[in-house]
Amino acid sequence: MSEPILEVEGVRKHFPIRKGLLLREVGQVKAVDGVSFAVQPGETLGLVGESGCGKSTLGRTLVRLYEPTAGSIRYRGEDFLAVKGERLRHMRRTLQMIFQDPFASLDPRMTIARILAEPFKVHDVCPPKERQERAAALLETVGLKSAHLNRYPHEFSGGQRQRISIARAMALNPDLVIADEPVSALDVSIQAQILNLMRELQDEFNLTYIFISHDLSVIDHFCDRIAVMYLGKIIEMAPRDELFNHPQHPYTRALIDAIPKVGQGKRRMKQVLGGEVPSPIDPPAGCHFHPRCPKRFDGCDRGFPALREERRDHFVACKLYSDAVEDSDDIILRSTGLRSTGT
């Protein structure tokens, strides 16, 4: 196996809660709470989970739009959290992000030509005279006409705006693209077009994707490997076919059962989740999922289970399979392709 393009180990992102006149910290929102995984070059890793599970925060933390509270991120073998200044700016050329809402991420006061030329200006990668030509080529690469360069974002449909966002992310020839719910705001037919475009770009430019979504049917169509998140933690990770054919965690099974099947109408789901997602300010003790879990038993509320390999390349954090907990001496890093830190 080749060296991972991205290695994430024990990453946490906690947001302080401040109250009172002196704005003293009275608590923390544990949006991402100890996540480890690795991504291979050319792979598409899907991050899936309910709204509020921390997947978007994780994506922004990986590109350092948020600085992590703890943990380490290695990009192409280099400590990404240690780099600063010009070196950080250079590394960001090859690490880009596509945001969920293209209308919010595109400046409404700038023409498409200026939006697409901005990366070239910021990173000073081509002469000013060539930027318009490069912007036109980018627009055509994503299936739009170069004649539209002088239009503004509001003059395009949602799908077209997302194509423009993808073109901007592709401007500097990145190696890794983090796509945060890139099709969730689009009609189903347009979703398919955008996903096909992203797949074509991946094949043409040898891209690596981290694809964030709450929709398992989209993840199934697009991703090679899937990590399921719940309340800031990865609770299951496996290749796509393995995860869908042999889900191990009760939460993953419930997500898969909830996928609508064409022609089945209001079918009776095998497993229906009750209750609400707990608050990340005060997550439940032990396994965070246990208050909603139909298979919980005594001990599920003591110690979060470690992510362990239960089948080949299939890892799950559930006490149905192991009593080991995260804070033991044998925290599983090999589950994600990372080097073990155990003794």
Side-chain angles (χ1 to χ4, degrees), residues 141-198:
T141 299
V142 297
L144 296 177
K145 296 179 181 179
S146 58
H148 296 163
L149 278 173
N150 293 321
R151 293 185 179 182
Y152 289 85
H154 72 271
E155 299 180 79
F156 293 88
S157 67
Q160 289 173 326
R161 284 196 292 265
Q162 196 61 286
R163 288 176 183 267
I164 294 166
S165 295
I166 293 171
R168 181 177 59 182
M170 294 297 301
L172 299 172
N173 297 317
D175 296 323
L176 174 63
V177 175
I178 298 173
D180 182 12
E181 302 261 17
V183 298
S184 64
L186 306 177
D187 293 339
V188 174
S189 60
I190 306 301
Q191 286 184 11
Q193 295 176 20
I194 297 299
L195 293 175
N196 289 337
L197 170 63
M198 292 179 65

Side-chain angles (χ1 to χ4, degrees), residues 9 36 304-310 315-317 321-336 338-343:
E9 185 175 331
S36 300
F304 194 90
L307 195 65
R308 288 183 171 273
E309 187 173 21
E310 297 305 322
F315 303 88
V316 60
Y321 308 100
S322 173
D323 289 332
V325 295
E326 262 193 350
D327 54 1
S328 70
D329 293 333
D330 187 28
I331 295 178
I332 300 301
L333 297 178
R334 63 188 180 86
S335 65
T336 60
L338 297 176
R339 295 177 292 272
S340 174
T341 58
T343 56

